[in-house]
CSV table of all heavy atoms in Angstrom, one decimal:
chain,number,residue,atom,x,y,z
A,171,LEU,N,135.1,86.9,-55.4
A,171,LEU,CA,134.8,86.4,-56.7
A,171,LEU,C,133.3,86.4,-56.9
A,171,LEU,O,132.6,86.0,-56.0
A,171,LEU,CB,135.3,85.0,-56.8
A,171,LEU,CG,135.5,84.2,-58.1
A,171,LEU,CD1,136.6,84.9,-58.9
A,171,LEU,CD2,135.9,82.8,-57.8
A,172,GLU,N,132.9,86.8,-58.1
A,172,GLU,CA,131.4,86.7,-58.4
A,172,GLU,C,131.3,85.9,-59.7
A,172,GLU,O,132.0,86.2,-60.7
A,172,GLU,CB,130.8,88.1,-58.6
A,172,GLU,CG,129.3,88.0,-58.7
A,172,GLU,CD,128.7,89.4,-59.1
A,172,GLU,OE1,128.9,89.8,-60.3
A,172,GLU,OE2,128.0,90.0,-58.3
A,173,ILE,N,130.5,84.9,-59.7
A,173,ILE,CA,130.3,84.1,-60.9
A,173,ILE,C,128.8,84.2,-61.3
A,173,ILE,O,127.9,83.9,-60.5
A,173,ILE,CB,130.6,82.6,-60.6
A,173,ILE,CG1,132.0,82.4,-60.0
A,173,ILE,CG2,130.4,81.7,-61.8
A,173,ILE,CD1,132.2,81.1,-59.4
A,174,LYS,N,128.6,84.6,-62.5
A,174,LYS,CA,127.3,84.6,-63.1
A,174,LYS,C,127.2,83.4,-64.0
A,174,LYS,O,128.0,83.3,-65.0
A,174,LYS,CB,127.0,85.9,-64.0
A,174,LYS,CG,127.0,87.2,-63.2
A,174,LYS,CD,126.5,88.3,-64.0
A,174,LYS,CE,126.2,89.6,-63.3
A,174,LYS,NZ,127.5,90.3,-62.9
A,175,ALA,N,126.3,82.4,-63.7
A,175,ALA,CA,126.3,81.2,-64.4
A,175,ALA,C,125.0,80.7,-64.9
A,175,ALA,O,124.0,81.1,-64.2
A,175,ALA,CB,126.9,80.1,-63.5
A,176,ARG,N,125.0,80.0,-66.0
A,176,ARG,CA,123.8,79.3,-66.4
A,176,ARG,C,124.2,78.0,-66.9
A,176,ARG,O,125.4,77.7,-66.9
A,176,ARG,CB,122.9,80.1,-67.4
A,176,ARG,CG,123.7,80.6,-68.6
A,176,ARG,CD,122.9,81.7,-69.3
A,176,ARG,NE,123.7,82.2,-70.4
A,176,ARG,CZ,123.8,81.6,-71.6
A,176,ARG,NH1,123.1,80.5,-71.8
A,176,ARG,NH2,124.6,82.0,-72.5
A,177,GLY,N,123.2,77.2,-67.3
A,177,GLY,CA,123.5,75.9,-67.9
A,177,GLY,C,124.1,74.9,-66.9
A,177,GLY,O,123.8,75.0,-65.7
A,178,LEU,N,125.1,74.1,-67.3
A,178,LEU,CA,125.7,73.1,-66.5
A,178,LEU,C,126.4,73.7,-65.3
A,178,LEU,O,126.4,73.2,-64.2
A,178,LEU,CB,126.6,72.2,-67.3
A,178,LEU,CG,127.2,71.0,-66.6
A,178,LEU,CD1,126.1,70.1,-66.1
A,178,LEU,CD2,128.2,70.3,-67.5
A,179,LEU,N,127.1,74.8,-65.5
A,179,LEU,CA,127.8,75.5,-64.4
A,179,LEU,C,126.9,75.9,-63.3
A,179,LEU,O,127.2,75.7,-62.1
A,179,LEU,CB,128.7,76.7,-65.0
A,179,LEU,CG,129.5,77.4,-63.9
A,179,LEU,CD1,130.5,76.5,-63.2
A,179,LEU,CD2,130.3,78.6,-64.5
A,180,ALA,N,125.7,76.5,-63.7
A,180,ALA,CA,124.8,76.9,-62.7
A,180,ALA,C,124.3,75.7,-61.9
A,180,ALA,O,124.1,75.8,-60.7
A,180,ALA,CB,123.6,77.7,-63.4
A,181,ARG,N,124.0,74.7,-62.6
A,181,ARG,CA,123.5,73.4,-62.0
A,181,ARG,C,124.6,72.9,-61.0
A,181,ARG,O,124.3,72.5,-59.9
A,181,ARG,CB,123.2,72.4,-63.1
A,181,ARG,CG,122.6,71.1,-62.5
A,181,ARG,CD,121.7,70.5,-63.6
A,181,ARG,NE,120.5,71.2,-63.8
A,181,ARG,CZ,119.3,71.0,-63.2
A,181,ARG,NH1,119.2,70.0,-62.3
A,181,ARG,NH2,118.3,71.8,-63.4
A,182,ALA,N,125.8,72.8,-61.5
A,182,ALA,CA,126.9,72.3,-60.6
A,182,ALA,C,127.1,73.2,-59.4
A,182,ALA,O,127.3,72.6,-58.3
A,182,ALA,CB,128.2,72.2,-61.4
A,183,LEU,N,127.0,74.5,-59.6
A,183,LEU,CA,127.2,75.4,-58.4
A,183,LEU,C,126.1,75.1,-57.4
A,183,LEU,O,126.4,75.0,-56.2
A,183,LEU,CB,127.1,76.8,-58.8
A,183,LEU,CG,128.4,77.4,-59.5
A,183,LEU,CD1,128.1,78.6,-60.3
A,183,LEU,CD2,129.5,77.7,-58.5
A,184,GLN,N,124.9,74.9,-57.8
A,184,GLN,CA,123.8,74.7,-56.9
A,184,GLN,C,123.9,73.3,-56.2
A,184,GLN,O,123.7,73.2,-55.0
A,184,GLN,CB,122.4,74.8,-57.6
A,184,GLN,CG,122.1,76.2,-58.1
A,184,GLN,CD,120.9,76.3,-59.0
A,184,GLN,OE1,119.8,76.4,-58.5
A,184,GLN,NE2,121.1,76.2,-60.3
A,185,HIS,N,124.3,72.3,-57.0
A,185,HIS,CA,124.5,71.0,-56.4
A,185,HIS,C,125.6,71.0,-55.3
A,185,HIS,O,125.4,70.4,-54.3
A,185,HIS,CB,124.9,70.0,-57.6
A,185,HIS,CG,125.2,68.6,-57.2
A,185,HIS,ND1,124.4,67.6,-57.8
A,185,HIS,CD2,126.1,68.0,-56.4
A,185,HIS,CE1,124.9,66.4,-57.2
A,185,HIS,NE2,125.9,66.7,-56.4
Side-chain angles (χ1 to χ4, degrees):
L171 192 69
E172 189 190 67
I173 306 168
K174 292 190 173 80
R176 53 195 177 80
L178 187 59
L179 180 58
R181 184 153 290 266
L183 283 162
Q184 292 172 86
H185 181 118

